[in-house]
């Protein structure tokens, strides 16, 4: 859950820190006080799109930071492990800074991350729903995803199996397309890669040849310097009054006094060991020097060979290994193009077999989805009855794709629409063509009540989703939201007193002018009496009477009875 939120220099917010708890937290206040701004800040914190417009005028950057408490088995933990972020003390800290130039800096538990990673992690922590979220219900391409989420336990294994076969199916289709789309292009391609393969083959390259030749060129090109240095080294060690003579003298002198002090025996052995090692090394260096031979012809050959390899590198790769890998890849392609007709027949045969398997898996997915759809329709009807939409008929329509040339897609062969009839006797129509704003609010809440049980998200935010409803419907929505908060942390911005009365925690958002002529937003927890005052204001508007207060107390008492 979201435990604490800190916001600085964001829109009209100068600096606020808000603590949250489990259950239902309601945020109320006058229009324009900054309620939705706080939700916008949370949205940016979990990866929403930001811009310089969010930065408070006159400041350099906006800062948003959130502390979340989660359990070790929460889906977020796996996301953190996947990107190498440490998880300790059951806490996750998200931070996002947005500069007045529009640049964002994102951190998770102190580690810099991309906006994409922040979004992936944030989506496992918080689910934000506003009035614009109804648009998802209007988009039929989202309906299949919602159905699959509801039936995840049954559908997910079958969907994984299907997608594995689907990937192979699409790969073979692409290969066939590449081989058959243009005969002239294929002929030109074959001529080109045959020439390239012949050029590389003639070079008779061997792995690491360029590196070995560079080392040899270095030795041959510096023959005189190498020979002279080795000669000087040998003469410095070997000969009268040279290095080895002096080390030998030291060894002899130590040996002559070892009987006088046992400790000197160890030093004598160390000097003796070094003497013999130097003597052996001097001999090896002398042999190496004697074997050195300057060969101008060999140097010319090495340089010519390196130039030949460099020409191939400019065409086919940055190293000999890359050139050889490229040659191997085009050799396979040459074979495929030369035997194109045989290859196409082979691919067609493979495609036919895979398509049969794909059809079986797709039909299995359809069968599972239709069973899950029946359960989902029943569950939605149950939720809608609670929201005084008992006469509403909801259905999931499976569209026939068999007449399409290509009926398979990444999620199977199904295309579905959520259908609804809100009035008895009216035919079922697409959701986007029949439901009003208030009806969509209730349908969305019904879906969220269902899907929250099938997702790992523990914090849900509703931003004025109760717009367009009133009376007993508002009361029903309030009770639905309250029940949803029993297993989650739910934050709600609302203008309905029925919803506000259900709050376990009531925060009031207000704004005021500062001495500098600027607007400042503040957030405070309401006491019991202050909550009654706020509920009264929400019921009657600006004018507060004793009757209004009485009504507010009754509403609060009724809410407490429902919760208990």
């Amino acid at each position: 859950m979201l435990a604490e939120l800190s916001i600085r220099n964001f829109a009209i917010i100068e600096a606020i820190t808000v603590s949250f708890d489990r259950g239902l937290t309601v945020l109320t206040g006058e229009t324009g006080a900054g309620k939705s701004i706080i939700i916008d800040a949370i949205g940016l914190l979990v990866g929403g799109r930001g811009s310089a417009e969010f930065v408070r005028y006159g400041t350099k950057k906006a800062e948003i930071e959130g502390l979340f408490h989660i359990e070790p088995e929460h889906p977020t933990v796996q996301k953190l492990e996947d990107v190498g972020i440490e998880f300790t003390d059951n806490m996750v800290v998200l931070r996002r800074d947005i500069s007045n130039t529009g640049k964002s800096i994102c951190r998770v538990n102190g580690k810099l991350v991309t906006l994409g990673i922040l979004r992936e992690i944030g989506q496992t922590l918080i689910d934000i729903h506003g009035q614009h979220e109804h648009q998802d219900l209007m988009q039929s391409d989202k309906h299949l995803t919602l159905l699959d989420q509801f039936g995840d336990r049954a559908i997910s294994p079958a969907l994984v199996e299907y997608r594995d076969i689907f990937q192979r199916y699409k790969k073979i289709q692409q290969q066939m397309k590449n081989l058959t789309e243009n005969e002239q292009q294929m002929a030109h391609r074959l001529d080109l890669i045959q020439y390239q393969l012949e050029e590389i083959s003639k070079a008779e390259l061997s792995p690491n040849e360029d590196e070995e030749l560079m080392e040899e060129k270095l030795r041959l090109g510096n023959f005189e310097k190498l020979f002279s240095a080795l000669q000087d080294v040998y003469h410095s060690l070997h000969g009268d009054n040279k290095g080895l003579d002096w080390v030998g003298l030291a060894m002899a002198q130590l040996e002559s006094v070892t009987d006088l002090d046992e400790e000197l025996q160890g030093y004598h052995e160390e000097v003796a060991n070094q003497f013999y090692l130097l003597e052996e090394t001097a001999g090896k260096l002398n042999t190496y020097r004697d074997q050195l031979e300057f060969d101008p012809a060999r140097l010319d050959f090495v340089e010519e060979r390196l130039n030949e390899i460099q020409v191939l590198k400019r065409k086919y790769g940055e190293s000999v290994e890359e050139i050889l890998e490229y040659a191997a890849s085009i050799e396979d392609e040459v074979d495929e193009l030369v035997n194109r007709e045989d290859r196409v027949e082979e691919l067609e045969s493979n495609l036919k077999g895979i398509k049969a398997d794909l059809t079986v898996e797709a039909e299995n997915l359809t069968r599972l989805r239709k069973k899950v759809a029946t359960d989902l329709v029943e569950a939605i009807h149950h939720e809608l009855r609670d929201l005084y939409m008992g006469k509403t008929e909801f259905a999931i329509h499976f569209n026939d794709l068999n007449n399409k040339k290509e009926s398979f897609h990444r999620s199977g062969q199904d295309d579905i629409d959520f259908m609804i009839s809100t009035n008895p006797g009216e035919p079922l129509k697409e959701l986007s063509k029949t439901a009003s704003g208030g009806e969509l609010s209730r349908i969305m809440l019904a879906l969220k009540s269902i899907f929250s049980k099938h997702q790992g998200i523990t914090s849900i935010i509703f931003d004025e989703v109760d717009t367009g409803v009133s009376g007993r419907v508002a009361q029903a929505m309030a009770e639905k939201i309250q029940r949803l908060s029993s297993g989650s942390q739910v934050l709600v911005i609302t203008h309905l007193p029925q919803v506000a009365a259900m709050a376990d925690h009531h925060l009031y958002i207000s704004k005021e002018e500062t001495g500098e002529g600027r607007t400042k937003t503040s957030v405070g927890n309401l006491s019991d009496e202050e909550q009654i005052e706020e509920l009264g204001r929400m019921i009657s508007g600006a004018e507060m009477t004793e009757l209004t207060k009485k009504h507010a107390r009754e509403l609060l008492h009724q809410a407490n009875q429902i919760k208990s």
Side-chain angles (χ1 to χ4, degrees), residues 22-36:
R22 295 189 180 278
L24 177 59
T25 298
V26 167
L27 293 84
T28 64
E30 295 289 352
T31 300
K35 301 184 295 298
S36 291

Side-chain angles (χ1 to χ4, degrees), residues 12-283:
I12 62 172
I13 297 175
E14 182 179 11
I16 60 170
T17 297
V18 188
S19 296
F20 298 97
D21 212 328
R22 295 189 180 278
L24 177 59
T25 298
V26 167
L27 293 84
T28 64
E30 295 289 352
T31 300
K35 301 184 295 298
S36 291
I37 292 175
I38 293 175
I39 304 305
D40 289 341
I42 296 175
L44 288 172
L45 183 64
V46 295
R49 182 176 297 179
S51 72
E53 295 177 0
F54 287 112
V55 181
R56 182 174 167 85
Y57 177 73
T59 62
K60 292 183 178 180
K61 66 177 180 178
E63 304 170 20
I64 311 166
E65 191 168 43
L67 168 65
F68 296 82
H69 290 313
I70 60 174
E71 297 302 320
E73 62 273 10
H74 195 276
T76 304
V77 178
Q78 184 59 53
K79 289 282 186 185
L80 295 175
E81 291 177 357
D82 291 343
V83 294
I85 296 176
E86 188 176 355
F87 172 69
T88 57
D89 300 326
N90 292 1
M91 292 191 302
V92 178
V93 178
L94 306 186
R95 181 183 175 93
R96 187 168 180 186
D97 297 344
I98 302 175
S99 72
N100 55 12
T101 61
K103 294 182 179 179
S104 283
I105 297 176
C106 309
R107 289 183 174 86
V108 178
N109 284 355
K111 182 176 180 178
L112 284 169
V113 297
T114 64
L115 181 58
I117 291 175
L118 179 71
R119 186 179 298 115
E120 284 187 25
I121 293 172
Q123 286 174 347
T124 66
L125 292 167
I126 284 185
D127 193 5
I128 300 177
H129 290 271
Q131 295 180 61
H132 65 280
E133 295 297 327
H134 303 330
Q135 296 170 10
D136 283 354
L137 293 177
M138 302 291 196
Q139 300 173 22
S140 59
D141 60 324
K142 301 286 181 68
H143 296 169
L144 189 65
T145 301
L146 290 171
L147 178 65
D148 286 350
Q149 284 181 358
F150 178 75
D152 181 67
R153 184 173 298 179
I155 292 174
S156 183
L159 188 57
V160 169
E161 188 71 24
Y162 169 86
R163 283 178 175 168
D164 179 58
I165 300 174
F166 179 73
Q167 285 181 340
R168 287 186 280 144
Y169 177 75
K170 297 300 287 185
K171 183 178 180 181
I172 293 178
Q173 276 190 328
Q174 186 61 47
Q175 288 174 331
M176 288 183 63
K177 182 181 178 182
N178 293 341
L179 286 172
T180 59
E181 63 181 1
N182 191 308
E183 289 287 334
Q184 190 176 27
Q185 284 185 2
M186 292 298 102
H188 289 165
R189 176 64 180 169
L190 181 59
D191 288 342
L192 173 64
I193 60 178
Q194 280 180 327
Y195 168 80
Q196 292 176 339
L197 185 60
E198 183 179 358
E199 185 179 28
I200 296 172
S201 298
K202 280 184 178 178
E204 297 181 345
L205 299 172
S206 58
N208 300 318
E209 181 181 358
D210 52 342
E211 296 176 6
E212 293 171 1
L213 288 173
M214 285 298 297
E215 292 175 2
E216 186 176 0
K217 178 185 176 181
L218 187 65
R219 289 195 303 271
L220 291 171
N222 293 276
F223 171 80
E224 292 184 2
K225 181 179 180 180
L226 188 60
F227 185 89
S228 176
L230 290 175
Q231 187 166 331
D232 288 346
V233 170
Y234 180 75
H235 288 159
S236 298
L237 292 173
H238 201 277
D240 293 339
N241 288 320
K242 297 297 175 69
L244 281 171
D245 267 8
W246 288 105
V247 176
L249 178 62
M251 179 177 65
Q253 291 294 333
L254 276 172
E255 186 178 18
S256 68
V257 292
T258 52
D259 56 340
L260 301 178
D261 189 340
E262 289 185 3
E263 187 178 348
L264 294 176
Q265 181 64 38
Y267 293 123
H268 169 259
E269 290 176 359
E270 288 182 14
V271 174
N273 288 337
Q274 299 303 321
F275 174 81
Y276 296 127
L277 282 173
L278 279 172
E279 188 176 46
E280 182 181 359
T281 301

Side-chain angles (χ1 to χ4, degrees), residues 336-349:
E336 192 171 72
L337 291 176
V338 169
N339 302 287
R340 184 164 64 253
E341 292 182 3
D342 293 340
R343 180 60 176 157
V344 169
E345 287 182 8
E346 180 186 350
L347 288 173
E348 285 178 341
S349 176

